[in-house]
């Protein structure tokens, strides 16, 4: 990867990793469903005036917006509101990689590779360890809601595979048209008009900066740069960089929010990261070993 593109990849990782700290700050003043409604409203407008709608059936656009945008962030924002730390959220959410594998087998007829199974078992052990060690820093409800968010992200990945090659920025922007109305409806029902009114009356500079970051930074800038990298390099070159997102998430949460992992959580986090690394790079390592042993045999 060229140095300039490597820098762009690192920018995306930092922006996405910091995203969880920003969400946590935003939830201090804005209820979860209202935050989702405002985020995706701002991500959709005015961007749809300048970015073409992706060439795909409407039902798939609705499915994408309903899973990876509405479903994922309804669960994630709720999880972080009820006690999921920002750093751990950035890590546990990466379990979407394994949910994607499961759904790909179920809906697309794909098969698990040996490295996928090994990575899944190791990461599942790490998640189990994290989930069993809920204390004042993490609630079980927050953990389970984050798992639900990861599953919705994974379903959105399956939708993306079904539609094939489309402009990723266009998909994200036009997919952002789907969540605002359901989010507003959920906010009205679950949070109530009094909470909505209070949040809007108390809307200040901090809330504005949070929404700008979530809509333009994490959504449009992040996916825009990511799609640029995917258009220039093979997916197996770009995808491993996503493993750095929870590293940035955990570090920024420790520095900015004073979040710290207990011993069991730290061990669980290491197991999850190891499982993700094996899932992403295991086949490459096996291939290299086979080549090395094959050449040495000759």
């Amino acid at each position: 990867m060229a140095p300039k593109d490597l820098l762009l990849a690192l920018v995306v990782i930092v922006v996405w990793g910091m995203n969880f700290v920003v969400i946590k700050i935003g939830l201090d003043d804005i209820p979860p469903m209202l935050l989702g409604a405002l985020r995706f409203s701002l991500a959709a407008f005015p961007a749809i005036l300048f970015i073409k709608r992706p060439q795909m059936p409407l039902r798939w656009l609705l499915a994408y917006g309903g899973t990876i945008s509405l479903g994922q962030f309804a669960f994630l924002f709720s999880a972080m509101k009820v006690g999921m730390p920002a750093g751990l959220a950035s890590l546990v959410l990466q379990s979407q990689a394994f949910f994607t594998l499961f759904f790909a087998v179920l809906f697309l007829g794909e098969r698990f590779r040996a490295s996928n199974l090994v990575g899944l078992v190791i990461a599942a052990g790490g998640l189990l360890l994290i989930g069993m060690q809920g204390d004042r820093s993490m609630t079980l409800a927050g953990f389970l809601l984050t798992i639900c968010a990861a599953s919705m992200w994974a379903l959105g990945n399956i939708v993306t595979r079904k539609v094939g090659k489309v402009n990723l920025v266009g998909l994200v922007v036009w997919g952002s048209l789907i969540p605002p109305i359901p989010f507003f409806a959920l906010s009205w029902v679950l949070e109530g008009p009094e909470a909505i009114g209070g949040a809007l009356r108390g809307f200040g500079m901090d809330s504005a900066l949070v929404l700008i970051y979530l809509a333009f930074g994490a959504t449009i800038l992040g996916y825009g740069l990511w799609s640029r990298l995917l258009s220039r390099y093979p997916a197996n070159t770009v995808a491993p960089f996503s493993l750095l997102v929870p590293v940035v998430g955990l570090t920024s949460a420790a520095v900015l929010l004073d979040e710290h992992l207990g011993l069991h959580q730290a061990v669980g986090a290491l197991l999850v990261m190891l499982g993700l690394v094996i899932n992403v790079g295991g086949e490459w390592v096996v291939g290299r070993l086979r080549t090395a042993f094959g050449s040495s045999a000759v």
Side-chain angles (χ1 to χ4, degrees):
M1 186 176 288
K4 178 181 178 181
D5 291 329
L6 179 61
L7 179 61
L8 292 179
L10 294 177
V11 168
V12 175
I13 298 314
V14 171
V15 168
W16 281 349
M18 291 285 296
N19 181 48
F20 296 87
V21 170
V22 175
I23 291 171
K24 198 72 172 179
I25 294 172
L27 289 170
D28 287 339
D29 299 316
I30 306 174
M33 299 301 109
L34 182 60
L35 180 61
L38 295 175
R39 170 189 178 159
F40 285 102
S41 296
L42 192 58
F45 297 101
I48 60 167
L49 302 177
F50 307 99
I51 297 175
K52 291 183 179 180
R53 180 176 178 263
Q55 298 300 308
M56 58 189 294
L58 178 60
R59 68 180 184 278
W60 289 118
L61 184 61
L62 291 171
Y64 178 87
T67 53
I68 211 165
S69 299
L70 174 62
Q72 178 187 184
F73 289 100
F75 282 123
L76 178 62
F77 289 178
S78 298
M80 296 179 69
K81 183 66 176 179
V82 300
M84 188 64 179
L88 278 178
S90 71
L91 176 73
V92 174
L93 195 63
Q94 295 303 314
S95 63
Q96 60 83 20
F98 300 106
F99 281 109
T100 301
L101 288 172
F102 174 76
F103 291 141
V105 171
L106 190 62
F107 298 120
L108 304 180
E110 297 183 6
R111 294 184 177 182
F112 278 109
R113 297 173 297 184
S115 60
N116 298 145
L117 289 172
V118 173
L120 173 59
V121 170
I122 293 174
L127 289 172
L128 182 62
L129 192 58
I130 292 171
M132 291 174 62
Q133 293 300 317
D135 53 23
R136 289 181 301 172
S137 67
M138 187 197 77
T139 64
L140 180 59
F143 175 79
L144 294 177
L145 285 169
T146 307
I147 292 292
C148 291
S151 69
M152 296 304 292
W153 182 359
L155 283 173
N157 289 339
I158 300 302
V159 172
T160 305
R161 290 192 189 183
K162 290 289 288 185
V163 300
K165 291 186 177 181
V166 296
N167 181 277
L168 184 58
V169 178
L171 180 60
V172 170
V173 169
W174 282 84
S176 296
L177 277 175
I178 311 303
I181 292 178
F183 263 128
F184 277 122
L186 287 169
S187 181
W188 185 270
V189 172
L190 299 177
E191 295 158 354
E194 184 175 343
I196 295 173
L200 294 179
R201 286 192 298 271
F203 195 90
M205 182 59 69
D206 289 347
S207 297
L209 291 175
V210 164
L211 287 174
I212 289 171
Y213 188 98
L214 294 179
F216 297 113
T219 304
I220 295 176
L221 175 65
Y223 282 102
L225 293 179
W226 196 251
S227 63
R228 171 190 170 101
L229 294 171
L230 287 172
S231 69
R232 292 189 170 196
Y233 301 96
N236 59 6
T237 298
V238 179
F241 282 95
S242 65
L243 297 174
L244 296 175
V245 170
V247 176
V248 175
L250 287 164
T251 303
S252 60
V255 173
L256 300 175
L257 301 178
D258 198 30
E259 291 182 1
H260 300 285
L261 301 181
L263 177 60
H264 290 87
Q265 291 176 334
V267 173
L270 289 174
L271 288 175
V272 172
M273 288 300 299
L274 177 60
L276 289 169
V277 169
I278 292 174
N279 178 61
V280 171
E283 286 297 308
W284 181 85
V285 173
V286 171
R288 289 285 183 174
L289 290 174
R290 286 176 178 172
T291 302
F293 282 111
S295 61
S296 63
V298 173

